[in-house]
Amino acid sequence: MSVNKSYTERSKLHSNPTAKAFLELMDRKKSNLSLAADLTSKAELLALADKVGPHICLLKTHIDVVNDFDQDLVDQLTALAKKHDFMIFEDRKFADIGNTVKLQYSSGVYKIASWSDITNAHTVPGEGIIQGLREVGLPLNRCLLLLAEMSSAGTLAKGDYTTTTVELARKYKDFVVGFIAMKRYEEKEGDDFIYMTPGVGLDETSDGLGQQWKHPREVVFDLGCDVIIVGRGIYGKGKDPAEQAKRYQEAGWNAYQERISK
């Protein structure tokens, strides 16, 4: 089972070059922490990425909420990714027909495919959404996560929706490398998907607005997921982002070490 293997061992099973490099990066850096950087200011986003960069494997952005977005932001973010050895994940959650998402991914103001190593999509429109994104992303060595579940209360991403999403991922393994999910799913022969989990917290369990948080050990050790996604727990009001990122890095990594040694 892939859940008991190291990230580096698992990297050898992936054909997608970004997935391979990402798994190797996590082992090299001893981090399975992704920062969810939901900030509306270019300067704040860059400052936060620089502060926590030494502790994360992945910077998750919502680039369309940045009020003063420009190409210089992209250039500086990619420079920071190189400086601190992390990848960038634009949490775009594409959800339209294939032709539309091709344009949204490649064109417009953001040109996401030109700089984001990883992006994600809902499967509500059917497999055409994967085909459209794949046409743009695969030649650029990008990769895709599918939203199999979400961490918010009352989510409809469950049951048959989740089952179908996993089957679609198996059909497009050269581009779909994993899931946004709350637990690891039963594996079939040849499966080795990367599981990234939002809603992770060391100190709180809920924000009162429907978001629910789980402890890093529960996510990585008990539920078998690979990457913990943390936002306000790191840079919320009154917090030292570098200090908190180190806490989460250590908690996530310790849980992973415990998992692969059992």
Side-chain angles (χ1 to χ4, degrees):
M1 290 179 61
S2 62
V3 70
N4 298 320
K5 295 177 181 176
S6 73
Y7 296 136
T8 298
E9 287 179 289
R10 291 170 58 192
S11 73
K12 298 175 173 60
L13 303 175
H14 281 264
S15 61
N16 184 284
T18 295
K20 292 172 75 74
F22 181 65
L23 288 162
E24 291 167 358
L25 182 163
M26 286 197 285
D27 255 353
R28 179 172 66 246
K29 199 169 179 181
K30 294 182 169 54
S31 176
N32 53 11
L33 171 63
S34 171
L35 172 72
D38 299 341
L39 298 174
T40 60
S41 157
K42 171 183 171 181
E44 290 178 352
L45 176 56
L46 290 170
L48 180 62
D50 201 18
K51 285 177 184 175
V52 305
H55 304 290
I56 64 173
C57 62
L58 190 66
L59 178 71
K60 185 176 80 70
T61 59
H62 281 295
I63 210 67
D64 57 355
V65 307
V66 180
N67 292 321
D68 49 350
F69 170 86
D70 58 12
Q71 183 58 40
D72 181 63
L73 171 58
V74 169
D75 294 342
Q76 290 200 57
L77 280 178
T78 53
L80 286 171
K82 186 174 182 179
K83 172 185 174 182
H84 293 301
D85 194 20
F86 61 76
M87 288 191 177
I88 300 175
F89 164 27
E90 167 55 22
D91 188 7
R92 177 59 178 76
K93 296 185 178 75
F94 291 102
D96 217 315
I97 61 171
N99 187 64
T100 300
V101 298
K102 279 176 62 176
L103 297 173
Q104 291 172 326
Y105 191 27
S106 65
S107 307
V109 175
Y110 303 113
K111 299 178 176 59
I112 294 165
S114 70
W115 53 269
S116 181
D117 302 291
I118 303 169
T119 192
N120 59 353
H122 293 284
T123 56
V124 172
E127 67 182 287
I129 191 171
I130 301 172
Q131 294 167 339
L133 294 169
R134 182 176 176 272
E135 283 185 26
V136 174
L138 199 58
L140 298 173
N141 290 333
R142 306 307 190 196
C143 60
L144 181 69
L145 303 173
L146 296 180
L147 284 115
E149 295 177 286
M150 295 184 73
S151 59
S152 52
T155 177
L156 301 180
K158 57 187 178 181
D160 289 344
Y161 172 88
T162 300
T163 301
T164 301
T165 297
V166 173
E167 289 304 317
L168 286 172
R170 290 183 175 124
K171 187 173 180 179
Y172 294 95
K173 280 185 181 178
D174 59 345
F175 185 54
V176 179
V177 302
F179 306 103
I180 301 296
M182 305 312 297
K183 63 182 179 298
R184 195 175 205 89
Y185 307 128
E186 185 175 345
E187 295 180 334
K188 289 187 177 180
E189 182 84 25
D191 281 359
D192 187 7
F193 293 109
I194 299 168
Y195 288 77
M196 300 195 188
T197 304
V200 179
L202 282 168
D203 305 309
E204 296 96 4
T205 59
S206 173
D207 69 352
L209 295 173
Q211 178 63 291
Q212 304 166 105
W213 288 300
K214 290 183 168 67
H215 191 278
R217 188 182 183 279
E218 180 182 0
V219 170
V220 177
F221 182 81
D222 296 335
L223 300 175
C225 297
D226 298 308
V227 177
I228 57 172
I229 300 174
V230 185
R232 286 166 285 174
I234 289 175
Y235 62 87
K237 187 176 181 180
K239 296 181 183 291
D240 179 326
E243 180 182 304
Q244 294 302 319
K246 185 177 180 182
R247 284 182 70 213
Y248 278 94
Q249 178 190 7
E250 291 174 350
W253 193 255
N254 289 341
Y256 159 71
Q257 290 288 304
E258 186 180 359
R259 186 180 87 191
I260 64 172
S261 62
K262 67 179 179 180

